[in-house]
Amino acid sequence: MSAPRPVQETDVTGATVWLTGLPSAGKTTIAYELVRTLRERGRAVEVLDGDEIREFLSAGLGFGRADRDTNVQRVGFVAELLARNGVLALVPVIAPFADSREAVRKRHQAGGTPYLEVHVATPVEVCAVRDVKGLYAKQAAGELSGLTGVDDPYEEPESPDLRIESQDQTVQESAAAVHALLTERGLA
């Protein structure tokens, strides 16, 4: 890993905002809503969508614990690279294991790069009704196993920077809560 470059006074501070939660919790929807607000304000922002990362950066990885960890570390590396170069990296990725997320946080801390963890804490019952990709229906029909939060573990963050209960607010309100956190931390 290369050493972080010195920050200049004219540099814009980047950051990684990791949105973790169950499948169909609303992570990606919130991220893309937030992108609109941030780009309107002239911020450089990218979404590292979990599904796209799986297709392009982590193709061939499975869903066992080791492969999930490898996927999270790859995403974390790219997010930190973007963030240390002034981009706000929004990362809507399940990342079911606390130790994997902590390793990403530590990578950011080691480089002096801001990292915020947002738990989109939508209950599994609500996610199953939303079922954006049909995963819960497939699991219920016995066509899928290893669904995070149902028959595979999801370790909820104990102390995220922000917890969003998306079932109790609109997408716009959820995105505004993340924007408020970024503003409070001087990162918006």
Side-chain angles (χ1 to χ4, degrees):
M1 180 168 112
S2 62
R5 64 180 177 78
V7 176
Q8 312 222 348
E9 287 186 11
T10 58
D11 285 353
V12 175
T13 302
T16 294
V17 179
W18 198 286
L19 296 103
T20 181
L22 297 174
S24 297
K27 302 174 300 295
T28 303
T29 304
I30 293 166
Y32 279 109
E33 181 64 27
L34 182 57
V35 162
R36 290 184 327 118
T37 301
L38 293 167
R39 286 194 178 143
E40 285 172 2
R41 289 174 167 79
R43 279 301 260 132
V45 60
E46 290 295 332
V47 176
L48 299 178
D49 179 271
D51 293 333
E52 291 176 359
I53 295 294
R54 277 274 180 186
E55 181 179 353
F56 297 107
L57 188 63
S58 294
L61 290 179
F63 291 90
R65 186 172 180 119
D67 282 355
R68 286 178 185 258
D69 183 61
T70 297
N71 183 57
V72 167
Q73 298 317 307
R74 287 178 182 176
V75 178
F77 172 79
V78 174
E80 198 275 332
L81 180 66
L82 288 169
R84 79 171 122 112
N85 284 286
V87 176
L88 283 176
L90 306 180
V91 186
V93 174
I94 295 169
F97 301 110
D99 59 345
S100 294
R101 295 189 306 266
E102 185 58 25
V104 171
R105 179 185 295 277
K106 286 180 179 176
R107 168 185 287 283
H108 282 70
Q109 287 173 339
T113 307
Y115 174 90
L116 303 172
E117 184 177 67
V118 176
H119 180 206
V120 183
T122 310
V124 69
E125 301 80 20
V126 174
C127 294
V129 170
R130 291 179 181 171
D131 204 10
V132 178
K133 300 172 199 160
L135 299 175
Y136 293 93
K138 288 180 182 175
Q139 194 276 337
E143 300 169 14
L144 176 75
S145 64
L147 181 58
T148 303
V150 178
D151 60 352
D152 212 41
Y154 176 75
E155 298 170 355
E156 290 189 6
E158 290 182 17
S159 55
D161 296 282
L162 176 65
R163 189 176 317 276
I164 293 175
E165 298 192 15
S166 70
Q167 73 279 6
D168 295 333
Q169 58 193 39
T170 66
V171 171
Q172 293 76 18
E173 290 168 334
S174 295
V178 179
H179 187 262
L181 175 65
L182 286 166
T183 301
E184 172 187 302
R185 303 282 174 93
L187 301 168

